[in-house]
Amino acid sequence: MRRTFLTLIVALLASLGFAQSDNTLRAPLIGDPTAWPINPPGLISDIMVGKTLFNNLVRFSFEDGSTVVPDLAERWEVDVDSRVWTFYLRDDVVWHDGEPFTADDVVFTVETIRNPDVASRWAAAFVTLETIEALDDHTVRMTFEAPFAPLLATLAYNLAIVPAHVLSSMDLSVPSGPTDFVTNPIGTGPFRFVEQVSGSHFILEANPDYFEGRPAIDRVEFKVVPDVNAQVAQLLTGELDITWTVEPIHYDRLAAASNIVLGEVNIPRFDWIPLNNENPLFQDARVRRAMAHALDRELMVQAVFGGFGEVATGPIPPSIAWVPRDQARMLDYDVELALELFAEAGWTRGDDGLLRNAAGETFRFTLLADRGNPTRDQVYLVAQDAWSSIGMDIQIETTEWNTVLARYREGTYDARVGWWVIKPDPDLYDYFHTDGRLNQIRYSNAQVDDLLERGRSVADQDERAAIYAELQALLVEEQPSILTIYPTEVRATNTRVEGLPDIGFRDALTWLHRASLR
């Protein structure tokens, strides 16, 4: 009876907006995570839990989220040709099962990512790698065919190191990872795995043997809450301590709450409407430019994103400030020009207002949408309305997030609304190169491929800047998918959360061991 009474009191306090009093940080995910950093099937949810479970060789700094600083590697050297990189590893790191971390784990991880049977999404990072070798237990050498300028940023981005002693006997070709590992993941990170319940939660506890000291937070509970409205409601009642991206429609409500702190960060992100370039409708660049001209993206920034962002002029965000932007012209809102471009590409409006080609076929396709995000819901509707008004016949198909991702990767979609948070480097090989593992828009252009390859293989930053400025201008003209905006990341936290860095939330999670709860 007493336990029932106490349970009711706790529930009542939560309903009145009082935060949880225990030392557990509660944060939302939009889908079930999979702790498989070699090939994360759910991307964002997987990456978030991975940032707390695993470490990289290097990471982005606490202060600015873009400078590369040590992680498992305490220092590194590069030869005068920028081809040979030597990493000196910490000697005080142990895996969550107590085994020592060594150079063999780094070699194993990189070789696994390179293995074509594994088909890792990160394999493009090592296309020009000639050799990787362990010189001793705590020294690794990588030798590339040519200078690989974005190496450090690439290693800091999503390339977590995994345990060779656990995984070497497992089948790593399973796309979602070996079951024995993903159901009991072992890392070196500040938090270690406790349990996962599908559709409910993923729980971790503080790692007492973490090489930078035991975290102040005892437990982290990632709760599966696909609906952003529900996330906000739980944040306000104290059932969640943080929401990673505040949607504009919730901003004023959260700003007025006395138990919430809001923070804004400019991160290397571009939002877009990916088009499947294998669909004959989208294979003419004039059509793709026409679709961009038909969207009032300035209005979208204000009406949909609440002014938190700016219109995208290319896939290289302005946060990567050393790439000149003067060649990336804006594709202005211009309906008449859009119709002219459609006509040049063989699509004219009939008496019924629909665009048709010479065979009488309508310009019809489906926008694949995920449930639960009010901002993306509005982008879908704005795009459908704008494109329908000039004669395109558009349907919206709504399903859950992981299904959208699966169809995106398989190429069984026409278009969707998406985004990429890229590393703070203009290396876009993964997304736009013909062989890029994240090129799920199925785009191929020889000139783009050449610029992407050159941009990686030049060590001098000024030379790289010129190459990427040319690439940016070309991708605006090509518009392989419809670039929309560079949004500002707005994070909301309960006032009891202290010590999180003011950087993008993905990289902030790598510093979660420094945070605490009042």
Side-chain angles (χ1 to χ4, degrees):
M1 182 70 179
R2 185 170 181 271
R3 173 174 290 186
T4 302
F5 177 73
L6 289 174
T7 300
L8 288 171
I9 290 295
V10 170
L12 176 62
L13 289 174
S15 71
L16 294 174
F18 293 95
Q20 305 274 358
S21 61
D22 61 344
N23 197 24
T24 298
L25 178 80
R26 294 174 175 85
L29 300 175
I30 59 175
D32 281 325
T34 302
W36 182 229
I38 296 295
N39 217 5
L43 281 181
I44 182 59
S45 295
D46 309 342
I47 289 168
M48 288 171 69
V49 299
K51 294 287 188 182
T52 59
L53 273 168
F54 304 101
N55 292 91
N56 297 7
L57 280 177
V58 294
R59 58 186 159 185
F60 297 118
S61 76
F62 185 97
E63 288 72 24
D64 64 19
S66 60
T67 303
V68 174
V69 298
D71 197 359
L72 291 174
E74 59 185 2
R75 62 187 179 91
W76 53 88
E77 297 171 352
V78 60
D79 75 334
V80 292
D81 296 325
S82 297
R83 290 180 52 249
V84 181
W85 293 77
T86 305
F87 293 89
Y88 300 92
L89 311 180
R90 298 183 65 116
D91 61 4
D92 57 350
V93 180
V94 295
W95 294 97
H96 294 156
D97 62 0
E99 290 295 314
F101 159 75
T102 72
D104 290 339
D105 297 306
V106 179
V107 174
F108 175 83
T109 299
V110 173
E111 294 291 14
T112 299
I113 291 171
R114 296 176 74 194
N115 184 342
D117 293 334
V118 174
S120 171
R121 288 179 179 81
W122 317 128
F126 302 111
V127 167
T128 60
L129 181 67
E130 287 185 342
T131 60
I132 179 169
E133 53 188 328
L135 302 185
D136 57 42
D137 281 352
H138 298 100
T139 311
V140 174
R141 177 169 293 163
M142 298 184 194
T143 302
F144 291 84
E145 297 170 4
F148 185 60
L151 178 62
L152 290 178
T154 301
L155 293 174
Y157 182 48
N158 285 321
L159 292 180
I161 305 303
V162 295
H165 71 281
V166 175
L167 291 166
S168 57
S169 61
M170 297 183 184
D171 179 6
L172 307 186
S173 65
V174 180
S176 57
T179 301
D180 288 347
F181 185 77
V182 299
T183 56
N184 185 30
I186 293 172
T188 55
F191 295 89
R192 60 191 185 187
F193 178 73
V194 175
E195 72 170 13
Q196 179 174 10
V197 175
S198 179
S200 177
H201 60 255
F202 188 103
I203 296 177
L204 305 103
E205 65 183 4
N207 175 9
D209 301 317
Y210 188 54
F211 58 83
E212 290 190 340
R214 184 192 186 282
I217 295 172
D218 290 335
R219 287 165 73 90
V220 177
E221 180 182 353
F222 287 104
K223 299 176 65 176
V224 180
V225 187
D227 188 276
V228 175
N229 298 305
Q231 291 183 17
V232 170
Q234 291 187 31
L235 180 67
L236 288 167
T237 61
E239 297 165 83
L240 286 174
D241 292 299
I242 193 164
T243 58
W244 304 109
T245 304
V246 174
E247 304 303 326
I249 65 168
H250 298 132
Y251 186 89
D252 289 345
R253 184 183 179 196
L254 290 169
S258 60
N259 64 330
I260 303 299
V261 176
L262 295 174
E264 301 174 23
V265 182
N266 289 317
I267 60 173
R269 165 175 165 167
F270 64 87
D271 282 30
W272 64 345
I273 300 177
L275 306 175
N276 185 343
N277 282 242
E278 289 182 345
N279 185 326
L281 292 175
F282 306 129
Q283 290 176 354
D284 190 320
R286 293 170 297 188
V287 165
R288 302 191 298 265
R289 286 201 303 277
M291 293 174 72
H293 282 298
L295 270 183
D296 190 342
R297 292 174 293 165
E298 288 282 8
L299 179 63
M300 187 182 289
V301 169
Q302 299 305 320
V304 178
F305 288 86
F308 292 104
E310 60 182 281
V311 173
T313 55
I316 300 173
S319 58
I320 304 175
W322 55 271
V323 177
R325 311 195 61 76
D326 51 356
Q327 295 185 52
R329 70 180 181 88
M330 180 86 71
L331 294 185
D332 295 323
Y333 176 55
D334 191 331
V335 172
E336 292 304 316
L337 179 54
L339 289 171
E340 289 174 17
L341 288 168
F342 270 120
E344 288 177 17
W347 296 92
T348 55
R349 297 183 78 174
D351 293 338
D352 58 0
L354 293 176
L355 289 168
R356 283 187 166 82
N357 60 16
E361 299 165 325
T362 61
F363 199 107
R364 180 171 186 166
F365 67 93
T366 299
L367 274 168
L368 182 62
D370 60 291
R371 300 188 184 100
N373 185 286
T375 301
R376 286 199 294 279
D377 287 346
Q378 288 300 308
V379 174
Y380 286 115
L381 294 174
V382 167
Q384 182 187 40
D385 182 63
W387 290 335
S388 295
S389 71
I390 61 169
M392 302 166 79
D393 185 4
I394 303 170
Q395 309 300 313
I396 294 181
E397 178 188 352
T398 304
T399 186
E400 56 93 23
W401 171 251
N402 285 341
T403 300
V404 170
L405 276 185
R407 288 181 57 182
Y408 184 46
R409 294 187 185 119
E410 294 161 1
T412 55
Y413 76 103
D414 297 329
R416 60 176 288 255
V417 172
W419 76 97
W420 282 113
V421 176
I422 66 174
K423 56 182 175 266
D425 185 280
D427 172 37
L428 296 171
Y429 186 104
D430 282 337
Y431 315 100
F432 294 103
H433 193 281
T434 300
D435 297 327
R437 291 296 176 88
L438 299 176
N439 180 4
Q440 288 139 357
I441 60 174
R442 271 68 177 171
Y443 174 68
S444 181
N445 179 294
Q447 187 179 356
V448 169
D449 287 353
D450 177 65
L451 289 168
L452 288 167
E453 291 163 12
R454 286 167 49 203
R456 287 184 144 198
S457 61
V458 173
D460 182 77
Q461 182 167 292
D462 290 339
E463 290 184 51
R464 294 188 76 212
I467 291 169
Y468 286 115
E470 183 180 350
L471 173 70
Q472 180 99 309
L474 177 58
L475 287 174
V476 171
E477 289 302 306
E478 278 284 292
Q479 204 73 196
S481 288
I482 311 305
L483 294 158
T484 54
I485 85 161
Y486 307 121
T488 302
E489 183 175 283
V490 183
R491 183 173 68 204
T493 57
N494 191 290
T495 51
R496 78 184 191 121
V497 179
E498 297 180 331
L500 273 181
D502 294 325
I503 60 178
F505 71 77
R506 294 160 182 77
D507 297 311
L509 282 168
T510 67
W511 300 100
L512 191 57
H513 57 287
R514 290 193 182 182
S516 61
L517 301 174
R518 287 193 296 167

